Amino acid sequence: KDHLLKPRNIGHMAEPDGVGEVTGTECGDMMTVYIRVGGGRITDIRFKTFGCWAAIGAASLLTETARGMTVEEAERLSIVDFEGDLAGIPSDKEHCVELGMLALRRAIENYRFRST
């Protein structure tokens, strides 16, 4: 609930190391995740979304969780990692969390592509 009332890490990032964009097939929500990586860890992460309250809250929670993780750890995040934090979110909104995770994975793929 806190992430819904006071979302963190919202906004564009200038000169990110990776960018991931997705559009939800179920709802049409759009999300972009920006990452900055240093020493193999996500040192900064931001998001922008055109979506419902659940998408905003889920992206805020996801970005707070992923910050400081290694790229590999962040890439392995799944909905199971957020079950306790998502108590009270209707099951028809769980795809919002998955949307954020997909955007994060795409940002990591983009980072790896740019790094080669």
Side-chain angles (χ1 to χ4, degrees):
K1 185 175 180 179
D2 187 50
H3 284 277
L4 299 174
L5 299 174
K6 294 180 260 171
R8 287 92 145 157
N9 307 311
I10 295 176
H12 177 79
M13 179 187 291
E15 300 181 32
D17 294 321
V19 179
E21 297 181 61
V22 294
T23 300
T25 56
E26 292 185 38
C27 58
D29 289 359
M30 295 180 284
M31 190 175 298
T32 304
V33 171
Y34 307 90
I35 60 172
R36 191 164 288 130
V37 179
R41 294 192 174 273
I42 296 176
T43 58
D44 197 7
I45 183 167
R46 304 234 177 258
F47 77 94
K48 290 190 330 186
T49 188
F50 179 76
C52 67
W53 60 270
I56 294 167
S60 175
L61 177 61
L62 175 69
T63 58
E64 284 289 290
T65 302
R67 181 187 308 275
M69 287 185 157
T70 65
V71 171
E72 292 77 18
E73 289 169 335
E75 194 171 36
R76 288 191 303 265
L77 284 171
S78 75
I79 198 161
V80 173
D81 297 308
F82 298 97
E83 282 180 348
D85 297 308
L86 297 175
I89 290 184
S91 60
D92 67 332
K93 295 292 185 181
E94 286 181 1
H95 68 276
C96 295
V97 179
E98 294 167 352
L99 190 71
M101 288 185 291
L102 179 57
L104 174 58
R105 286 187 194 102
R106 287 190 179 169
I108 291 168
E109 288 173 12
N110 182 249
Y111 159 70
R112 287 185 173 136
F113 177 77
R114 290 179 180 196
S115 298
T116 58

